[in-house]
Amino acid sequence: MSARTAYLTSDTVYVVGSATAPAHAVSADESNVYSPVVPQVVRLRETADPFLQVLEALGGDAKGRLATVIAPASTLVQAVPHLYRLAHLPLTILVEARDDYADIQALRSTGIAIFQAFSPQEAQDLSLVARSVAVSTRRANIVFFEKQAQESEVTALETDQIERLLGDAVGAREQALDASALYTANESAVDVSSAITTALAEFSKVTGRSYAPLEYTGSQTADSAIVLFGSNAASFRARIAKSFKGDVESAAGVLLVRVYRPFDAAAVQKALPATVKRVAVLEQLRTRTSRWNPLFLDVLQALQARDDVKVVSGQLGINTEETVSQALRGVLHNLRADKPLQNLFVGNPFPETQKESLQTPAIESAYDKILKQVFGDRLDIVNRQEGLAGLSTSPEYALGRALAQQESRAAFVSAASPEGLTSAKDAFHAWQAVAHSKQESACAAAALVEALQADTSDAAKKLLENASLLPLPTPWLVVSDAWAADLGNGGVHHLLASDAKVNMLVIDSNPGSRKKDVGLYAMNFGNAYVASTAVYASYTQVLAAMVEADKFDGPSVVLAYLPYTEDDATPVTVLQETKRAVESGAWPLYRFTPSTDGEAKFELDSERLRRELQDFLKRDQRLSQLARRDPKFAASLASHHGAEVRAQQKRKARSAYDKMLESLSGPPLTILYASDGGNAENLSKRLARRAKARTLKAKVMAMDDYPVEELSNEKNLILVSATAGQGEFPQNGRNFWEAVRSSLDLDLSNTNFSVFAMGDSHYWPRAADKHYYNKPGKDLLARVTALGGKLMVDIGLGDDQDPDGYETGYQAWEPELWKAMGVDKMDVVVDEPKVRGPEDVKVESNFLRGGIVAGLKDESTGAISADDALLTKFHGTYMQDDRDVREQRKADGLEPAYSFMIRARLPAGVATPEQWIAMDEISDTYGNHTFKLTTRQTFQWHGVLKRNLKRTIAAINKALITTIAACGDVNRNVMCSTIPSLSDFHAQVFQTAKGISDHLLPNTSAYHEIWLTDDNGKELVAGGEVKDTEPLYGPTYLPRKFKIAVAVPPTNDVDVYTNDVGFIAIRDDKGALAGFNVSLGGGMGTTHNNKKTYPRLGTVFAFCTPQDVNVVAEAIMICQRDNGDRKDRKHARLKYTVDDFGVPFFREFVEKYIGHALEEPRDFVFDTNVDVFGWQKGEDGRHHFGMFIENGRIEDTPEFQMKTGLREIAKQVKGIEFRLTPNQHLILSNVSEKQLGKAKDLLAKYKLDNLQFTQLRLSSSACVALPTCGLAMAESERYLPVLITKLEETITSAGLEKDSIVMRMTGCPNGCARPWVAEIACVGKAPGTYNLYLGGGHYGQRLNKLYRASLQEGEILDVLTPMIRKWAVERKDGEAFGDFVIRAGYIKETFEGKDFHDGVDLEDETLAA
């Protein structure tokens, strides 16, 4: 409860807790009573000098923000130097006291007020009193409380009570609007005692609960009293209060010290009855540091005027409610004795201090695994060995151990002799020759040990006694805030000064620390190898640094960035923070090797920093050449050119703006927008055009582009905001909102304003989530009103659910705005610009050329134009940006971190080993060192920079793979079932899929001209004289993307029904290929809460022969080309055309096109759509291994060298073939009997043969989503494994490890991972929030349906856990999970796409079907 009070009365709450244990739980469900600022919770590690961080924060950017620190008592002693400075700040520190109160007493001279609470109720109440005192006196204070009493009931303080108690502080804050005044130096005398008395009295008045600094309980005629300072003091008081006349305790009293500092001596005399003659002072101290304890001296001094009172000191041990009576009697008997004992120990002994076992936080294991991977048995982490803890783990101590070990080994190697050996002499000489080689000595030592064990001589036994000294280890010291802190960097200095061959790994887990400066210090020292690394930024760079450090002849320091505040931090959050730090340059990646000849080698590995440095040097070189050519201008050029250019730009911009304003006569109008998808931006610009037509001086810009400090100068202000995520502001309005929300000095009393908000009233259908609808706009309305703004028109609410979407609300709001501004009577004609759409771009592109060539040559940006971004999709690449660092780059004034995703066109997903190796190399040379196996059986790369785009696509083509038509409004990659067991049949259907792919390729030569012609090649002349033709596609290509798959029953691994066109292979009586059933009109993409959009499964409508496959596919595609909706891209897929025109229309068109009638579909059966894992033997005798690739990501990690292993298999296993599956897995195919052993050995070596996964995990798949996909609303690939891990607890306990449930996750509703046919699907709606769909067919034959909307992880688990357990118990034989949830009544069955939304009540909070 004290934590809740801290949250409600602070701007920042600092929680200090061990990195390997959970920190305090701080409630975040209520607002700060001071201001609209949402309190920030900052977690600090005990070992990272937390109070110094607090001091730096309160003296820096956070100055003026009220703060609370929640910390364990163990941190206080080390904080004493900082507490003297913190004492002059209005800071409250909440301390959880343990058995030993010595740490509390150590603070008695810091000038900080100290309160003691004896129960959770008192902890809550006194923390509020302490906050009031801190604000009124501008002095820090501490409230400490007992941990063991935390479970009792507490009467929570209401918010209005807190506001009343802190009314003066709140009022001062709101009136003065400058909280920083609280933090100004105030050295004048402050009567803290009076402030405490006043605060306690006010608290009693408001709550009815009374407290006093010193509180006496007992007889008013007592002869003895006990002053208590320690745990369980309340039990002593309760025992005294319950004593009866005649009891030993009845003539005694207890004085509890609630306010330890300032200690009021006069209050002690006043509190104790005059009859008291003997006083025992009991203090709970594990170890006495002086003869007399601190409180004893305080009480002795307070009672020095009373000569008749004898004061006795005592040491309070551990007491419980059961032992309190006995302890009281013992104290009183001693106190009333003629010669009472001083320092009597009262209670049970203190428990033995447990030696902390050495624990490495799980998140730091990544670097451990890399060290073990690189060095194996040679690795010796000197300060992390069995039995070491405390001092033994410190780098300084461990360095001494390492040096001693090296000296011992050097002496042993020097003294070792083969004399006396019999059979082991040769092995000894072999070892002696390489004894100083780290790599070779390990093998030689192992051989020598084996030889010595066989040698029976005494000399051999003597050498075996020192067997641990035979190999030359690789010593590492690991510095970590979590378990081996080096606060003063003493270990680094000692290592460098020693010049020893010892390596140090410095793990920096605090994003705000300065550990990176250790690298600069080490480089300046000049004798050490230094590297700055980050495993979540560049795994290969970490490996390189470790290897180089080991090879360097001298000390090495490797800095390792691993930002986290809690041990259970997810890899996703660590990855995001790492990318932000590396991208912004806050944590540079580099390697430095000193040299004796002065030519030190420095390699900058940070891509962005290296690029900026190269650009700078290039500019500098150009300026230098210009200066040499014309020396008289050199000085002026160097010192004034940049400043003059900027000044001239500002003058021209201001002049043009002033001229524009002079040409207008109406009042000013400023329109600020926050827009995600562009609707709010376009609407704002339209509003500005209409305002100018009415002679208003209108200007329009994104909210984040507007200087908030100028807001109070605006006369008329319009705020237009869309709604993102969970009621959040769009990206380009978040900084503006944060500034307005937290501002304490904005005065908008002279500003007229209105707000137009845009959202979807059904996007958050649960009653508890309704407030997210148009929340940004409503928040702006409330905040601007609170700042004094005058509302000229009621807020307009645009709702996507209205007939015309947001336009319905806008059309009603805009006329009211003109009326309020007095310009509604004007007759105006606004020339609205024509909106260019994708169809216009395609027509004007000259068959997909557009401005791509020019855009690629533009070095001023990492992006290309919007038109070219659309066109490059047809060439197989999407422009993206890294959303993990988007906000950081925006704050740094940089454009987004643009890069490109490239997707290959790989019919049926079949690749040769040479192609696999090439794809792997491309990912390292041009990409992000990983590549993806997609749900359409092809390769995909991310992180390709624009300057590398042409080289990357050329390299892909060099491997005889293309990227054309892998994306865009064309027929994309054609899929095909993998069926490794049916070798001959697969060859036939594979050729069918490849034939369809080749037949439907675009005909444009633009692809070759742009990507496969070097810079010296022929270029097209201006004017577009060279023209292509597209006989199949025409100049506008298709209305939307077009997908085809070929399935082989009984396996529907391609999810054939989800494709625009599906060909289902039919075998004749002899097992040969007879032809194909044809399905029509499948498709996945939808839009949340837009019932006009829906997924659809293909309709099987005909059978065709193998000879007709290509022309049938062509006919369907041309019918879609000519009849698909080109006006509304959300209605442009073939599935809608089929539903609009009907299946018979398409059949008639196809039959007319091919010149004969189609046959009726033939019988077939599907019974699964998941992959088969492990080894299978084909009918041709060759072997095939189905390998699990989680979500298709091919990468190396410290735990799993998958990428390396697959590369080695491609190099070493002759004749192997790589088949990508539609479920993102991999089949190592066509392994001959001769190569089988080698393949199995390599699989085992790299742990690629591990199939010990639950069927739930094996049947799962996810799209890429964040951070690269621009459409993603939530995590998918990075999160699904985490969610499955948590679900597996239920799966395992229910005995379902071997039972398959098809589970899929996507970051948005576009359906790349085909979620709408999964038995369980989580579809992203906002960060951390998903819609849950149930009831899909186990083999892809049925769509699922929405079961619950807007769920977070805990809710998903709560829903699925009982459902899965019930399935385990109640299912029928062979009943799949998707079938069960329909039969059990959880969800209604979806029969076709058009009833996908039926049976789902979006207004019902439970959304039960």
Side-chain angles (χ1 to χ4, degrees):
M1 296 306 292
S2 56
R4 173 178 175 268
T5 305
Y7 187 86
L8 293 176
T9 61
S10 306
D11 296 310
T12 307
V13 179
Y14 297 95
V15 181
V16 180
S18 171
T20 56
H24 281 271
V26 178
S27 172
D29 57 353
E30 297 178 76
S31 301
N32 185 321
V33 299
Y34 284 109
S35 69
V37 176
V38 174
Q40 180 185 12
V41 178
V42 178
R43 301 189 181 275
L44 305 175
R45 203 169 282 112
E46 288 184 47
T47 54
D49 209 356
F51 282 88
L52 175 60
Q53 296 182 55
V54 173
L55 180 62
E56 291 174 343
L58 295 180
D61 295 338
K63 191 171 183 179
R65 294 172 66 82
L66 296 174
T68 297
V69 179
I70 303 177
S74 58
T75 62
L76 296 178
V77 173
Q78 291 185 343
V80 167
H82 311 310
L83 291 176
Y84 283 104
R85 298 172 64 188
L86 288 169
H88 297 283
L89 304 177
L91 174 71
T92 297
I93 304 172
L94 304 180
V95 177
E96 182 183 280
R98 302 283 178 158
D99 299 333
D100 190 0
Y101 280 49
D103 291 337
I104 305 293
Q105 291 195 336
L107 311 181
R108 60 187 181 276
S109 300
T110 58
I112 294 179
I114 302 176
F115 296 81
Q116 180 178 200
F118 300 105
S119 68
Q121 183 73 60
E122 292 186 16
Q124 172 200 250
D125 296 349
L126 291 181
S127 63
L128 182 58
V129 171
R131 165 60 76 213
S132 176
V133 172
V135 173
S136 63
T137 63
R138 303 183 195 177
R139 289 289 189 272
N141 51 50
I142 295 174
V143 180
F144 65 94
F145 52 89
E146 304 172 31
K147 176 179 176 54
Q148 59 265 35
Q150 292 299 294
E151 294 183 0
S152 54
E153 293 185 5
V154 176
T155 302
L157 287 165
E158 301 296 334
T159 304
D160 63 325
Q161 289 180 311
I162 297 175
E163 290 175 350
R164 287 171 62 193
L165 288 165
L166 301 179
D168 292 340
V170 175
R173 181 133 183 195
E174 291 177 345
Q175 293 166 17
L177 297 176
D178 183 12
S180 62
L182 295 170
Y183 285 77
T184 55
N186 182 0
E187 301 298 336
S188 60
V190 176
D191 190 352
V192 178
S193 294
S194 296
I196 292 174
T197 302
T198 301
L200 289 171
E202 185 63 24
F203 183 88
S204 177
K205 188 188 303 181
V206 172
T207 67
R209 295 189 291 276
S210 298
Y211 300 103
L214 296 168
E215 190 167 307
Y216 176 80
T217 300
S219 172
Q220 291 300 317
T221 60
D223 62 357
S224 304
I226 302 173
V227 181
L228 282 170
F229 189 79
S231 63
N232 249 327
S235 297
F236 283 87
R237 179 178 61 178
R239 182 68 188 90
I240 290 285
K242 294 177 181 179
S243 63
F244 295 100
K245 189 174 182 180
D247 289 346
V248 174
E249 303 95 327
S250 63
V254 170
L255 184 67
L256 298 186
V257 181
R258 263 211 189 81
V259 180
Y260 178 52
R261 285 293 184 271
F263 190 77
D264 192 341
V268 174
Q269 296 187 38
K270 190 174 180 180
L272 292 174
T275 57
V276 171
K277 303 301 180 185
R278 293 172 181 254
V279 176
V281 182
L282 302 183
E283 301 169 70
Q284 190 161 322
L285 307 174
R286 181 183 288 271
T287 303
R288 293 174 53 228
T289 57
S290 61
R291 183 177 181 185
W292 305 111
N293 294 330
L295 184 58
F296 169 79
L297 296 175
D298 291 334
V299 175
L300 187 66
Q301 185 176 6
L303 297 176
Q304 64 181 350
R306 292 184 56 179
D307 296 333
D308 58 335
V309 177
K310 185 173 184 60
V311 183
V312 176
S313 176
Q315 188 174 358
L316 190 63
I318 303 301
N319 290 277
T320 63
E321 291 186 6
E322 292 76 19
T323 63
V324 162
S325 294
Q326 182 180 350
L328 263 177
R329 291 191 182 95
V331 172
L332 292 175
H333 280 307
N334 179 65
L335 190 58
R336 291 166 180 167
D338 292 338
K339 293 183 179 180
L341 298 175
Q342 292 287 356
N343 297 316
L344 177 70
F345 190 90
V346 180
N348 296 320
F350 289 97
E352 296 233 352
T353 304
Q354 294 293 321
K355 202 173 189 181
E356 293 185 6
S357 59
L358 188 59
Q359 289 184 327
T360 305
I363 198 71
E364 291 186 11
S365 65
Y367 287 104
D368 282 4
K369 290 170 182 173
I370 293 177
L371 287 172
K372 291 173 184 175
Q373 173 195 337
V374 174
F375 303 114
D377 294 337
R378 293 192 292 116
L379 176 64
D380 178 18
I381 300 182
V382 188
N383 60 331
R384 191 188 295 162
Q385 295 183 8
E386 192 69 32
L388 296 186
L391 174 64
S392 306
T393 67
S394 72
E396 295 94 332
Y397 183 90
L399 176 60
R401 292 183 69 252
L403 296 178
Q405 290 173 358
Q406 290 182 352
E407 290 175 3
S408 297
R409 186 179 188 277
F412 169 75
V413 171
S414 177
S417 169
E419 290 296 327
L421 296 177
T422 56
S423 62
K425 285 187 177 181
D426 290 343
F428 180 89
H429 289 303
W431 166 79
Q432 194 174 43
V434 296
H436 298 288
S437 169
K438 292 177 182 176
Q439 288 80 12
E440 297 178 41
S441 68
C443 295
L448 177 56
V449 168
E450 186 176 350
L452 290 172
Q453 290 171 341
D455 191 318
T456 58
S457 66
D458 292 337
K461 293 178 181 177
K462 188 174 181 180
L463 285 172
L464 280 174
E465 291 175 359
N466 295 289
S468 62
L469 298 177
L470 291 174
L472 179 59
T474 296
W476 282 84
L477 306 177
V478 180
V479 178
S480 162
D481 287 338
W483 64 277
D486 186 18
L487 296 180
N489 297 321
V492 176
H493 173 77
H494 292 316
L495 172 63
L496 299 176
S498 72
D499 203 29
K501 296 179 182 179
V502 178
N503 310 304
M504 177 177 280
L505 176 67
V506 181
I507 298 177
D508 190 351
S509 56
N510 184 354
S513 78
R514 302 292 300 176
K515 279 199 178 68
K516 64 180 179 181
D517 294 342
V518 169
L520 181 61
Y521 173 73
M523 285 190 285
N524 286 334
F525 214 92
N527 68 333
Y529 173 87
V530 184
S532 177
T533 68
V535 68
Y536 283 93
S538 177
Y539 173 74
T540 53
Q541 190 247 1
V542 178
L543 290 177
M546 299 292 190
V547 173
E548 291 173 0
D550 182 50
K551 290 180 178 179
F552 181 69
D553 187 18
S556 69
V557 177
V558 178
L559 307 176
Y561 192 54
L562 193 72
Y564 72 99
T565 55
E566 298 178 45
D567 187 39
D568 59 354
T570 65
V572 173
T573 59
V574 177
L575 170 67
Q576 291 171 334
E577 179 56 42
T578 300
K579 289 170 68 175
R580 281 191 287 267
V582 172
E583 180 66 29
S584 66
W587 186 270
L589 305 181
Y590 61 82
R591 287 168 289 145
F592 170 80
T593 306
S595 175
T596 54
D597 59 9
E599 293 295 326
K601 180 182 178 183
F602 182 86
E603 294 185 57
L604 184 60
D605 296 318
S606 292
E607 176 69 21
R608 178 192 153 200
L609 293 180
R610 185 169 66 245
R611 186 168 66 249
E612 291 180 350
L613 179 62
Q614 290 171 345
D615 293 343
F616 170 78
L617 293 175
K618 188 184 297 184
R619 290 193 299 270
D620 187 62
Q621 184 181 29
R622 290 172 181 169
L623 292 175
S624 299
Q625 292 173 349
L626 181 59
R628 284 195 296 269
R629 189 179 67 190
D630 202 343
K632 68 179 181 178
F633 292 118
S636 176
L637 182 67
S639 59
H640 299 298
H641 179 68
E644 177 58 30
V645 168
R646 288 191 292 272
Q648 183 67 15
Q649 288 173 337
K650 289 182 179 179
R651 286 194 294 270
K652 286 187 176 182
R654 186 67 193 178
S655 174
Y657 183 63
D658 290 342
K659 288 180 181 179
M660 181 187 74
L661 290 183
E662 290 171 5
S663 66
L664 302 173
S665 57
L669 177 66
T670 296
I671 303 168
L672 304 180
Y673 62 82
S675 178
D676 250 355
N679 287 336
E681 178 181 357
N682 293 334
L683 191 68
S684 298
K685 291 178 178 179
R686 187 213 304 177
L687 180 63
R689 290 192 295 270
R690 295 181 177 182
K692 291 174 184 177
R694 286 171 169 76
T695 73
L696 298 177
K697 301 173 186 175
K699 60 181 179 183
V700 59
M701 65 182 72
M703 291 181 185
D704 280 0
D705 293 338
Y706 182 87
V708 175
E709 61 272 13
E710 296 292 325
L711 203 59
S712 56
N713 297 326
E714 297 295 346
K715 184 176 180 181
N716 298 300
L717 177 66
I718 300 297
L719 300 168
V720 180
S721 180
T723 304
Q726 201 160 2
E728 300 162 8
F729 272 79
Q731 192 79 32
N732 58 356
R734 293 179 185 176
N735 293 338
F736 174 87
W737 167 241
E738 289 299 326
V740 170
R741 181 177 64 166
S742 60
S743 175
L744 300 174
D745 54 8
L746 266 181
D747 180 6
L748 302 183
S749 56
N750 295 319
T751 301
N752 301 312
F753 82 100
S754 185
V755 178
F756 186 77
M758 303 166 67
D760 184 338
S761 60
H762 286 178
Y763 198 79
W764 299 100
R766 297 190 302 183
D769 298 334
K770 287 293 185 184
H771 65 287
Y772 294 135
Y773 168 57
N774 277 329
K775 186 176 185 295
K778 294 174 181 176
D779 287 347
L780 282 169
L781 174 67
R783 185 57 182 154
V784 175
T785 301
L787 292 172
K790 299 173 184 176
L791 187 65
M792 51 181 169
V793 180
D794 283 341
I795 185 173
L797 299 177
D799 188 352
D800 286 349
Q801 295 298 320
D802 286 338
D804 294 324
Y806 62 82
E807 288 286 356
T808 302
Y810 180 79
Q811 294 302 327
W813 175 81
E814 184 186 315
E816 295 300 317
L817 174 64
W818 304 141
K819 186 183 297 184
M821 300 194 71
V823 293
D824 57 314
K825 304 298 183 183
M826 302 179 66
D827 293 328
V828 297
V829 177
V830 181
D831 184 16
E832 298 286 0
K834 179 187 175 183
V835 179
R836 292 177 71 252
E839 296 301 312
D840 301 298
V841 175
K842 288 186 282 186
V843 168
E844 298 166 7
S845 71
N846 187 15
F847 295 96
L848 307 182
R849 289 175 174 82
I852 294 175
V853 172
L856 293 175
K857 293 180 179 179
D858 182 3
E859 297 180 359
S860 66
T861 176
I864 55 178
S865 70
D867 286 1
D868 290 342
L870 185 147
L871 295 175
T872 52
K873 294 178 182 180
F874 291 79
H875 298 264
T877 179
Y878 277 75
M879 183 174 73
Q880 302 175 329
D881 77 287
D882 190 337
R883 293 171 63 180
D884 282 346
V885 298
R886 185 185 284 176
E887 291 190 30
Q888 179 64 50
R889 290 183 65 86
K890 184 175 182 180
D892 293 343
L894 300 170
E895 71 174 7
Y898 290 115
S899 64
F900 291 79
M901 178 275 284
I902 301 177
R903 184 182 296 150
R905 185 181 183 92
L906 190 70
V910 177
T912 66
E914 294 77 18
Q915 289 173 328
W916 182 275
I917 293 170
M919 302 304 104
D920 180 288
E921 291 174 348
I922 286 168
S923 72
D924 286 335
T925 306
Y926 302 115
N928 62 359
H929 303 284
T930 75
F931 58 102
K932 175 92 169 175
L933 311 185
T934 76
T935 54
R936 292 205 65 78
Q937 286 184 290
T938 190
F939 298 110
Q940 190 165 288
W941 298 265
H942 293 270
V944 179
L945 300 178
K946 185 175 78 172
R947 67 171 180 271
N948 293 328
L949 194 55
K950 184 171 182 176
R951 286 191 288 267
T952 308
I953 292 178
I956 295 169
N957 278 266
K958 187 176 180 180
L960 303 182
I961 296 176
T962 185
T963 67
I964 189 170
C967 320
D969 299 338
V970 287
N971 175 55
R972 299 191 177 184
N973 195 51
V974 178
M975 300 167 68
C976 179
S977 291
T978 50
I979 50 169
S981 60
L982 302 176
S983 307
D984 293 338
F985 198 68
H986 178 266
Q988 295 179 62
V989 293
F990 166 72
Q991 289 301 325
T992 299
K994 190 174 185 306
I996 296 170
S997 177
D998 294 342
H999 184 71
L1000 300 182
L1001 271 177
N1003 196 49
T1004 178
S1005 61
Y1007 183 83
H1008 184 272
E1009 293 168 5
I1010 295 170
W1011 308 110
L1012 306 181
T1013 303
D1014 61 26
D1015 294 336
N1016 298 319
K1018 181 181 178 181
E1019 294 184 358
L1020 288 178
V1021 296
E1025 283 81 352
V1026 177
K1027 290 287 185 179
D1028 279 320
T1029 59
E1030 285 284 10
L1032 293 181
Y1033 290 102
T1036 56
Y1037 294 85
L1038 300 180
R1040 281 298 302 274
K1041 57 190 172 186
F1042 197 82
K1043 298 180 178 180
I1044 298 176
V1046 180
V1048 180
T1051 300
N1052 186 25
D1053 54 350
V1054 296
D1055 276 329
V1056 67
Y1057 300 121
T1058 67
N1059 289 264
D1060 295 83
V1061 178
F1063 291 99
I1064 303 166
I1066 304 297
R1067 306 176 78 180
D1068 61 23
D1069 295 338
K1070 297 179 181 179
L1073 180 63
F1076 297 88
N1077 283 350
V1078 186
S1079 69
L1080 171 74
M1084 289 283 95
T1086 71
T1087 300
H1088 281 315
N1089 296 102
N1090 184 345
K1091 292 186 178 181
K1092 296 178 181 178
T1093 66
Y1094 51 83
R1096 186 186 190 279
L1097 296 185
T1099 303
V1100 178
F1101 75 101
F1103 171 87
C1104 72
T1105 64
Q1107 294 75 24
D1108 283 340
V1109 165
N1110 288 354
V1111 68
V1112 167
E1114 176 184 322
I1116 296 172
M1117 190 181 78
I1118 288 178
C1119 186
Q1120 163 66 358
R1121 181 196 70 186
D1122 296 342
N1123 296 285
D1125 189 346
R1126 292 183 181 268
K1127 295 181 179 179
D1128 182 1
R1129 285 184 68 82
K1130 289 186 177 182
H1131 189 257
R1133 286 292 298 274
L1134 175 65
K1135 58 184 176 180
Y1136 300 116
T1137 313
V1138 170
D1139 279 345
D1140 290 344
F1141 287 83
V1143 174
F1145 170 83
F1146 272 84
R1147 179 161 186 158
E1148 180 181 348
F1149 183 96
V1150 172
E1151 290 177 338
K1152 183 177 180 180
Y1153 191 89
I1154 67 176
H1156 62 82
L1158 294 168
E1159 298 180 36
E1160 292 304 310
R1162 300 187 182 182
D1163 293 337
F1164 66 95
V1165 173
F1166 283 136
D1167 59 18
T1168 183
N1169 70 349
V1170 297
D1171 292 338
V1172 177
F1173 298 97
W1175 285 103
Q1176 300 178 68
K1177 191 171 184 178
E1179 57 192 9
D1180 61 353
R1182 290 184 172 265
H1183 300 271
H1184 312 266
F1185 182 78
M1187 178 181 167
F1188 173 65
I1189 310 279
E1190 190 150 39
N1191 299 321
R1193 180 64 60 184
I1194 305 295
E1195 63 180 339
D1196 278 346
T1197 68
E1199 299 86 1
F1200 189 24
Q1201 304 297 296
M1202 179 203 300
K1203 190 165 179 282
T1204 298
L1206 289 171
R1207 182 171 60 247
E1208 290 304 311
I1209 288 173
K1211 290 179 179 178
Q1212 298 185 40
V1213 181
K1214 306 300 181 185
I1216 196 170
E1217 187 176 76
F1218 289 78
R1219 297 184 188 176
L1220 285 58
T1221 80
N1223 292 310
Q1224 301 177 297
H1225 305 304
L1226 181 65
I1227 296 178
L1228 304 176
S1229 196
N1230 289 338
V1231 179
S1232 67
E1233 196 72 36
K1234 184 178 181 180
Q1235 294 290 315
L1236 182 60
K1238 181 180 291 186
K1240 288 185 175 181
D1241 289 344
L1242 287 170
L1243 286 169
K1245 177 181 179 180
Y1246 293 99
K1247 302 176 184 178
L1248 300 175
D1249 57 352
N1250 178 23
L1251 298 175
Q1252 300 305 308
F1253 303 101
T1254 63
Q1255 282 295 321
L1256 174 66
R1257 190 176 295 273
L1258 292 172
S1259 304
S1260 67
S1261 61
C1263 68
V1264 176
L1266 296 174
T1268 52
C1269 178
L1271 300 175
M1273 303 171 182
E1275 293 283 357
S1276 182
E1277 178 190 332
R1278 298 192 297 192
Y1279 173 60
L1280 180 58
V1282 176
L1283 181 62
I1284 287 179
T1285 298
K1286 296 183 178 182
L1287 277 173
E1288 282 176 331
E1289 296 177 11
T1290 299
I1291 292 291
T1292 302
S1293 65
L1296 299 172
E1297 302 96 320
K1298 302 300 182 183
D1299 293 277
S1300 173
I1301 302 177
V1302 177
M1303 183 175 185
R1304 294 173 181 168
M1305 177 177 284
T1306 58
C1308 75
N1310 287 289
C1312 291
R1314 306 188 292 276
W1316 312 120
V1317 289
E1319 294 175 281
I1320 300 174
C1322 296
V1323 180
K1325 199 169 186 184
T1329 305
Y1330 300 83
N1331 280 356
L1332 178 64
Y1333 294 80
L1334 299 175
H1338 184 68
Y1339 48 91
Q1341 82 284 11
R1342 181 179 58 243
L1343 294 170
N1344 52 30
K1345 194 178 291 290
L1346 178 63
Y1347 179 70
R1348 293 281 191 275
S1350 311
L1351 300 184
Q1352 296 184 342
E1353 180 182 278
E1355 297 169 302
I1356 294 172
L1357 296 174
D1358 288 344
V1359 168
L1360 292 178
T1361 296
M1363 201 178 291
I1364 291 172
R1365 287 176 177 163
K1366 189 173 182 180
W1367 174 56
V1369 175
E1370 300 182 7
R1371 59 181 169 166
K1372 297 178 180 180
D1373 289 344
E1375 185 176 33
F1377 181 79
D1379 299 330
F1380 170 77
V1381 294
I1382 294 173
R1383 182 177 64 82
Y1386 288 108
I1387 201 79
K1388 291 182 179 179
E1389 183 173 359
T1390 302
F1391 294 97
E1392 61 173 335
K1394 287 187 285 189
D1395 68 9
F1396 178 70
H1397 299 287
D1398 294 348
V1400 178
D1401 184 2
L1402 294 179
E1403 295 300 328
D1404 182 356
E1405 182 175 2
T1406 65
L1407 284 178

